[in-house]
Amino acid sequence: MGEPLRIGMVGAGKISGAYLKTFERLDAVRLTAVTDLDAGRAEAVAAQVPGVAVAGSVAELTGRSDVDAVLNLTVPAVHAEVARAALDAGKHVYGEKPLAMTREEADSLLATASERGLRVGCAPDTVLGTGVQTARGAVDDGLIGTPVAATAFMTTPGHERWHPDPELYYRPGGGPLLDMGPYYLSALVHLLGPVGRVTAAASRSRPERTIGSGPRAGERFDTEVETHVTGLLEHAGGALTTLVMSFDIHAARLPRIEVHGTEGSLSVPDPNGFDGPVELHRAGGEWERLPVSGGYRDAGRGTGLADLATSLTEDRPHRASGELARHVLDVMLTLLDAAREGVWLPVRSDCGRPEAVRP
């Protein structure tokens, strides 16, 4: 392997700590610069990581000669703007989800990257860990026969219970589907392939929410998005997924993801994590735990960026790709469109299944 990919990080908020922790054990990438609207946060990162420079702006960071790729950890509303600045400066870009707020923004980014020979990557990379990849190996190896159906559930009372500034999750670009859906939908594409059409219903249980922790506890704010979404997805291979994403459920005993086939069933761990037990129930048998058979071991936030870095030297597609993120965004927006219109709608984009992470 050659020199590590030099990374400039835009955004030094809470999620950046998880990336920094992973970077400590990755050889494929090296953080060289950081910027944030709050200069103090950027300086704190620089003090924590030797050799990291503080840039005064996004333009200054993307213009640095020691930055090969930009890690975009900004808020969703400016994901596309920052990614565009990176591409315009001739840098690869990898960002937090979602890729963009609209299909048009996402398409523009991918077109620009293609024209300039640059890579666009996007979280979540949790699907590259041993949990989802071991489950994918079981599906690919035919352990459940032909996949017929899947279920995916994400249920919580809402992020305002624990987040000191939760309004972001209840504005356009937020809600349970746009916030948590990428983890589940990315996993489902790995397991069952892209989605061809969807239908859905959605609701908003409360017009206001109350902050439950931190210095602003007790403050109320408006709910601007749907907070419960139930969808039905038809995958290209014919399997049907029932999806529930909710900020309105106080407690549940639901599985995260299950995949059911003609010869058995598979229990898949939380796709918001990198590992966890994968269990198989063969027709007529009992539940059994499968040994780890795929995925990056000891993975963390940033593993997808490292996969992008190694893909450049190995001349292969990277797995946490912009194309996958574009398809997932399209599926989510189409689910919301279908809920408003009360009909089945086609998902116009396609991405194929990313390459599996095998031992």
Side-chain angles (χ1 to χ4, degrees), residues 243-304:
L243 178 79
V244 175
M245 300 279 115
S246 183
F247 284 170
D248 291 330
I249 295 178
H250 289 282
R253 294 178 176 175
L254 296 165
R256 296 299 186 179
I257 296 178
E258 288 183 346
V259 183
H260 306 284
T262 55
E263 304 298 329
S265 295
L266 200 62
S267 175
V268 185
D270 186 351
N272 192 21
F274 288 87
D275 52 20
V278 178
E279 295 183 302
L280 171 69
H281 192 291
R282 304 175 196 267
E286 302 289 339
W287 285 104
E288 59 182 285
R289 184 167 177 171
L290 296 178
V292 170
S293 62
Y296 289 111
R297 293 176 183 266
D298 301 318
R301 309 281 175 172
T303 294

Coordinates of all heavy atoms in Angstrom, one line a residue, residues 243-304:
L243 N -41.0 -1.8 6.2 CA -40.2 -0.9 6.9 C -41.0 0.0 7.8 O -42.0 0.6 7.4 CB -39.4 0.0 5.9 CG -38.5 1.1 6.3 CD1 -37.1 0.5 6.7 CD2 -38.3 2.1 5.2
V244 N -40.5 0.1 9.1 CA -41.2 1.1 10.0 C -40.1 1.9 10.7 O -39.1 1.4 11.3 CB -41.9 0.3 11.1 CG1 -42.5 1.3 12.2 CG2 -43.1 -0.5 10.6
M245 N -40.2 3.2 10.5 CA -39.2 4.2 11.0 C -40.1 5.2 11.9 O -41.0 5.9 11.4 CB -38.5 5.0 9.9 CG -37.7 4.1 9.0 SD -36.1 3.7 9.7 CE -36.3 1.9 9.8
S246 N -39.8 5.3 13.2 CA -40.7 6.0 14.0 C -40.0 6.8 15.2 O -39.1 6.2 15.8 CB -41.7 5.1 14.7 OG -42.7 5.8 15.4
F247 N -40.4 8.0 15.4 CA -40.0 8.8 16.6 C -41.2 8.8 17.6 O -41.3 9.7 18.4 CB -39.6 10.2 16.2 CG -38.3 10.4 15.6 CD1 -37.9 11.6 15.1 CD2 -37.4 9.3 15.6 CE1 -36.6 11.7 14.5 CE2 -36.1 9.5 15.1 CZ -35.7 10.7 14.5
D248 N -42.2 7.9 17.4 CA -43.5 8.0 18.2 C -43.7 6.7 19.0 O -44.8 6.6 19.5 CB -44.6 8.2 17.2 CG -44.6 9.5 16.5 OD1 -44.2 10.5 17.2 OD2 -45.1 9.7 15.4
I249 N -42.8 5.8 19.1 CA -43.0 4.6 19.8 C -42.1 4.6 21.1 O -40.9 4.6 21.1 CB -42.7 3.4 18.9 CG1 -43.7 3.4 17.8 CG2 -42.7 2.1 19.7 CD1 -43.4 2.2 16.8
H250 N -42.8 4.5 22.3 CA -42.1 4.5 23.5 C -41.3 3.3 23.9 O -40.2 3.4 24.5 CB -43.1 4.8 24.7 CG -43.6 6.2 24.6 ND1 -42.9 7.3 25.0 CD2 -44.8 6.7 24.1 CE1 -43.6 8.4 24.9 NE2 -44.8 8.1 24.3
A251 N -41.8 2.1 23.5 CA -41.1 0.9 23.8 C -41.6 -0.2 22.8 O -42.7 -0.2 22.4 CB -41.3 0.4 25.2
A252 N -40.7 -1.1 22.4 CA -41.0 -2.2 21.5 C -40.1 -3.3 21.7 O -39.0 -3.2 22.2 CB -40.9 -1.7 20.1
R253 N -40.5 -4.5 21.3 CA -39.7 -5.7 21.3 C -39.6 -6.3 19.9 O -39.7 -7.5 19.6 CB -40.3 -6.8 22.2 CG -40.3 -6.3 23.7 CD -40.9 -7.4 24.6 NE -40.8 -7.0 26.0 CZ -41.4 -7.7 27.0 NH1 -42.1 -8.8 26.7 NH2 -41.2 -7.3 28.3
L254 N -39.3 -5.4 19.0 CA -39.2 -5.7 17.6 C -37.7 -6.0 17.2 O -36.8 -5.4 17.7 CB -39.7 -4.6 16.7 CG -41.2 -4.2 16.9 CD1 -41.5 -2.9 16.3 CD2 -42.0 -5.3 16.2
P255 N -37.5 -6.9 16.2 CA -36.2 -7.1 15.7 C -35.7 -5.9 14.9 O -36.6 -5.2 14.4 CB -36.3 -8.4 14.8 CG -37.8 -8.3 14.4 CD -38.5 -7.8 15.5
R256 N -34.4 -5.8 14.7 CA -34.0 -4.7 13.8 C -34.2 -5.0 12.4 O -35.0 -4.3 11.7 CB -32.5 -4.4 14.1 CG -32.2 -3.9 15.5 CD -32.8 -2.6 15.8 NE -32.4 -2.1 17.1 CZ -32.8 -0.9 17.6 NH1 -33.7 -0.2 16.9 NH2 -32.4 -0.5 18.8
I257 N -33.6 -6.1 11.9 CA -33.8 -6.6 10.5 C -33.9 -8.1 10.6 O -33.1 -8.8 11.2 CB -32.7 -6.1 9.6 CG1 -32.6 -4.6 9.5 CG2 -32.9 -6.8 8.2 CD1 -31.5 -4.1 8.6
E258 N -34.9 -8.6 9.9 CA -35.0 -10.1 9.6 C -35.2 -10.3 8.1 O -35.8 -9.5 7.4 CB -36.1 -10.7 10.3 CG -35.9 -10.8 11.8 CD -37.0 -11.6 12.6 OE1 -38.1 -11.8 12.0 OE2 -36.8 -11.9 13.7
V259 N -34.5 -11.3 7.6 CA -34.7 -11.7 6.2 C -35.2 -13.1 6.1 O -34.7 -14.0 6.8 CB -33.4 -11.6 5.4 CG1 -33.6 -11.9 3.9 CG2 -32.8 -10.2 5.5
H260 N -36.3 -13.3 5.3 CA -36.9 -14.6 5.3 C -36.9 -15.2 3.9 O -37.2 -14.5 2.9 CB -38.4 -14.5 5.7 CG -38.5 -13.9 7.1 ND1 -38.2 -14.5 8.3 CD2 -38.9 -12.6 7.5 CE1 -38.4 -13.7 9.3 NE2 -38.8 -12.5 8.8
G261 N -36.5 -16.5 3.8 CA -36.4 -17.1 2.4 C -37.1 -18.4 2.4 O -37.8 -18.8 3.3
T262 N -37.0 -19.0 1.2 CA -37.7 -20.3 1.0 C -37.2 -21.4 1.9 O -37.9 -22.4 2.1 CB -37.6 -20.7 -0.5 OG1 -36.2 -20.8 -0.9 CG2 -38.4 -19.7 -1.4
E263 N -36.0 -21.3 2.4 CA -35.4 -22.4 3.2 C -35.1 -22.0 4.6 O -34.5 -22.8 5.3 CB -34.1 -22.9 2.5 CG -34.3 -23.4 1.1 CD -35.3 -24.5 1.0 OE1 -35.3 -25.3 1.9 OE2 -36.0 -24.6 -0.1
G264 N -35.4 -20.8 5.0 CA -35.0 -20.4 6.4 C -35.1 -18.9 6.6 O -35.6 -18.1 5.7
S265 N -34.7 -18.5 7.8 CA -34.8 -17.1 8.2 C -33.5 -16.6 8.8 O -32.8 -17.4 9.4 CB -36.0 -16.8 9.2 OG -37.2 -17.1 8.6
L266 N -33.3 -15.3 8.7 CA -32.0 -14.7 9.2 C -32.3 -13.5 10.1 O -33.1 -12.7 9.7 CB -31.2 -14.3 8.0 CG -29.7 -14.1 8.1 CD1 -29.0 -15.4 8.5 CD2 -29.1 -13.5 6.8
S267 N -31.7 -13.5 11.3 CA -31.8 -12.3 12.2 C -30.5 -11.5 12.0 O -29.4 -12.0 12.3 CB -32.0 -12.8 13.6 OG -32.0 -11.7 14.5
V268 N -30.7 -10.2 11.7 CA -29.6 -9.4 11.4 C -29.5 -8.3 12.5 O -30.5 -7.7 12.9 CB -29.8 -8.7 10.1 CG1 -28.6 -7.8 9.7 CG2 -30.1 -9.7 9.0
P269 N -28.2 -8.0 13.0 CA -28.1 -7.0 14.1 C -28.4 -5.6 13.7 O -28.5 -5.3 12.5 CB -26.6 -7.2 14.5 CG -25.9 -7.7 13.3 CD -27.0 -8.6 12.6
D270 N -28.4 -4.7 14.6 CA -28.7 -3.3 14.4 C -27.8 -2.7 13.4 O -26.6 -2.7 13.6 CB -28.6 -2.6 15.7 CG -29.0 -1.1 15.7 OD1 -29.2 -0.6 14.5 OD2 -29.0 -0.5 16.7
P271 N -28.3 -2.2 12.2 CA -27.4 -1.7 11.2 C -26.8 -0.3 11.6 O -26.0 0.2 10.8 CB -28.3 -1.5 10.0 CG -29.7 -1.3 10.6 CD -29.7 -2.2 11.8
N272 N -27.2 0.2 12.7 CA -26.5 1.4 13.3 C -25.2 1.1 14.0 O -24.5 1.9 14.5 CB -27.4 2.2 14.2 CG -27.0 3.6 14.5 OD1 -26.1 4.1 13.8 ND2 -27.4 4.1 15.6
G273 N -24.9 -0.2 14.1 CA -23.6 -0.7 14.6 C -22.9 -1.5 13.6 O -23.4 -1.9 12.6
F274 N -21.6 -1.8 13.9 CA -20.8 -2.5 12.9 C -20.7 -4.0 13.1 O -20.4 -4.7 12.2 CB -19.3 -1.9 13.0 CG -19.1 -0.6 12.5 CD1 -19.4 0.6 13.3 CD2 -18.8 -0.4 11.2 CE1 -19.2 1.8 12.8 CE2 -18.6 0.9 10.7 CZ -18.8 2.0 11.5
D275 N -21.1 -4.5 14.3 CA -21.1 -5.9 14.5 C -22.3 -6.4 15.2 O -23.4 -5.7 15.1 CB -19.8 -6.2 15.3 CG -19.7 -5.4 16.6 OD1 -20.7 -4.8 17.1 OD2 -18.6 -5.3 17.2
G276 N -22.3 -7.5 15.9 CA -23.4 -8.0 16.5 C -23.7 -9.4 16.0 O -23.3 -9.8 14.9
P277 N -24.5 -10.2 16.8 CA -24.8 -11.6 16.4 C -25.7 -11.7 15.2 O -26.7 -11.0 15.0 CB -25.5 -12.2 17.6 CG -26.1 -11.0 18.3 CD -25.2 -9.8 18.0
V278 N -25.4 -12.7 14.3 CA -26.2 -13.0 13.2 C -26.7 -14.4 13.4 O -25.9 -15.3 13.7 CB -25.5 -13.0 11.9 CG1 -26.3 -13.4 10.7 CG2 -24.9 -11.6 11.6
E279 N -28.0 -14.6 13.4 CA -28.6 -15.9 13.7 C -29.4 -16.4 12.5 O -30.1 -15.7 11.9 CB -29.5 -15.8 15.0 CG -28.7 -15.5 16.2 CD -29.6 -15.5 17.5 OE1 -30.6 -14.7 17.5 OE2 -29.3 -16.2 18.4
L280 N -29.3 -17.8 12.3 CA -30.0 -18.4 11.2 C -31.0 -19.5 11.7 O -30.6 -20.2 12.7 CB -28.9 -19.1 10.3 CG -29.4 -20.1 9.2 CD1 -30.2 -19.3 8.1 CD2 -28.3 -20.9 8.7
H281 N -32.1 -19.5 11.2 CA -33.1 -20.5 11.5 C -33.4 -21.3 10.2 O -34.1 -20.8 9.3 CB -34.4 -19.9 12.1 CG -35.3 -20.9 12.7 ND1 -36.0 -21.9 11.9 CD2 -35.7 -21.2 14.0 CE1 -36.8 -22.6 12.7 NE2 -36.6 -22.2 13.9
R282 N -32.8 -22.5 10.1 CA -33.1 -23.3 8.9 C -34.5 -23.9 9.0 O -35.0 -24.2 10.1 CB -32.0 -24.4 8.8 CG -30.6 -23.9 8.7 CD -29.6 -25.0 8.7 NE -28.2 -24.6 9.0 CZ -27.3 -24.2 8.1 NH1 -27.7 -24.3 6.8 NH2 -26.1 -23.8 8.5
A283 N -35.1 -24.2 7.9 CA -36.5 -24.7 7.9 C -36.5 -26.1 8.7 O -35.7 -26.9 8.4 CB -36.9 -25.0 6.5
G284 N -37.3 -26.1 9.7 CA -37.5 -27.3 10.5 C -36.4 -27.4 11.6 O -36.4 -28.4 12.4
G285 N -35.6 -26.4 11.8 CA -34.5 -26.5 12.8 C -34.7 -25.5 13.9 O -35.8 -25.2 14.3
E286 N -33.6 -25.1 14.5 CA -33.6 -24.1 15.6 C -32.7 -23.0 15.2 O -31.9 -23.0 14.3 CB -33.1 -24.8 16.9 CG -33.8 -26.0 17.3 CD -35.2 -25.7 17.9 OE1 -35.4 -24.5 18.3 OE2 -36.1 -26.6 17.9
W287 N -32.9 -21.9 16.0 CA -32.0 -20.7 15.8 C -30.6 -21.1 16.1 O -30.3 -21.7 17.1 CB -32.4 -19.5 16.6 CG -33.7 -18.8 16.1 CD1 -34.9 -18.9 16.6 CD2 -33.7 -17.9 15.0 NE1 -35.8 -18.1 15.9 CE2 -35.1 -17.5 14.9 CE3 -32.8 -17.5 14.1 CZ2 -35.5 -16.6 13.9 CZ3 -33.2 -16.6 13.1 CH2 -34.6 -16.2 13.0
E288 N -29.6 -20.7 15.3 CA -28.2 -21.0 15.5 C -27.4 -19.7 15.2 O -27.7 -19.0 14.2 CB -27.7 -22.1 14.7 CG -27.9 -21.9 13.2 CD -27.4 -23.1 12.4 OE1 -26.2 -23.3 12.2 OE2 -28.3 -23.9 11.8
R289 N -26.4 -19.4 16.0 CA -25.6 -18.2 15.7 C -24.5 -18.6 14.7 O -23.8 -19.6 14.8 CB -24.9 -17.7 17.0 CG -24.1 -16.5 16.8 CD -23.8 -15.8 18.2 NE -23.0 -14.7 18.0 CZ -22.7 -13.8 19.0 NH1 -23.2 -14.1 20.3 NH2 -21.9 -12.8 18.8
L290 N -24.4 -17.7 13.7 CA -23.4 -18.0 12.6 C -22.0 -17.4 13.0 O -22.0 -16.3 13.6 CB -23.9 -17.3 11.3 CG -25.1 -17.9 10.7 CD1 -25.5 -17.2 9.4 CD2 -25.0 -19.4 10.4
P291 N -21.0 -18.0 12.7 CA -19.6 -17.4 12.9 C -19.4 -16.3 11.9 O -20.0 -16.2 10.9 CB -18.7 -18.6 12.5 CG -19.4 -19.4 11.6 CD -20.9 -19.4 12.0
V292 N -18.6 -15.3 12.3 CA -18.3 -14.2 11.5 C -17.7 -14.7 10.2 O -16.7 -15.5 10.2 CB -17.3 -13.2 12.2 CG1 -16.8 -12.2 11.2 CG2 -18.0 -12.6 13.4
S293 N -18.2 -14.3 9.0 CA -17.8 -14.7 7.7 C -17.5 -13.6 6.7 O -17.3 -13.8 5.6 CB -18.8 -15.7 7.2 OG -20.0 -15.1 6.9
G294 N -17.6 -12.4 7.2 CA -17.4 -11.2 6.3 C -17.3 -9.9 7.1 O -17.6 -9.9 8.3
G295 N -16.9 -8.9 6.4 CA -16.9 -7.6 7.0 C -15.6 -7.2 7.6 O -14.7 -8.0 7.9
Y296 N -15.4 -5.9 7.7 CA -14.2 -5.3 8.3 C -14.3 -5.5 9.9 O -15.3 -5.1 10.5 CB -14.0 -3.9 8.0 CG -13.6 -3.6 6.6 CD1 -14.5 -2.9 5.7 CD2 -12.4 -3.9 6.1 CE1 -14.2 -2.6 4.4 CE2 -12.0 -3.6 4.8 CZ -12.9 -3.0 4.0 OH -12.5 -2.7 2.7
R297 N -13.3 -6.2 10.5 CA -13.3 -6.4 11.9 C -12.9 -5.2 12.6 O -12.1 -4.4 12.1 CB -12.4 -7.6 12.3 CG -12.9 -8.9 11.8 CD -11.9 -10.0 12.1 NE -12.4 -11.3 11.5 CZ -13.0 -12.2 12.2 NH1 -13.4 -12.0 13.5 NH2 -13.4 -13.4 11.7
D298 N -13.5 -5.0 13.8 CA -13.1 -3.8 14.7 C -13.4 -2.5 13.9 O -12.6 -1.5 14.0 CB -11.7 -3.9 15.2 CG -11.4 -5.2 16.0 OD1 -12.3 -5.5 16.8 OD2 -10.4 -5.8 15.8
A299 N -14.4 -2.5 13.1 CA -14.7 -1.3 12.2 C -15.3 -0.2 13.1 O -15.8 -0.4 14.2 CB -15.6 -1.6 11.1
G300 N -15.2 1.1 12.6 CA -15.8 2.2 13.2 C -16.0 3.3 12.2 O -15.7 3.1 11.0
R301 N -16.6 4.4 12.6 CA -16.9 5.5 11.7 C -15.7 5.9 11.0 O -14.7 6.3 11.6 CB -17.5 6.7 12.4 CG -18.7 6.3 13.4 CD -20.0 6.2 12.7 NE -21.0 5.7 13.6 CZ -22.3 5.6 13.3 NH1 -22.7 5.9 12.1 NH2 -23.2 5.2 14.2
G302 N -15.7 5.9 9.7 CA -14.5 6.2 8.9 C -14.0 5.0 8.2 O -13.1 5.1 7.3
T303 N -14.5 3.8 8.5 CA -14.1 2.6 7.8 C -14.4 2.7 6.3 O -13.7 2.3 5.4 CB -14.7 1.3 8.4 OG1 -14.2 1.1 9.7 CG2 -14.5 0.1 7.5
G304 N -15.6 3.3 6.0 CA -15.9 3.5 4.6 C -15.0 4.5 3.9 O -14.7 4.3 2.7

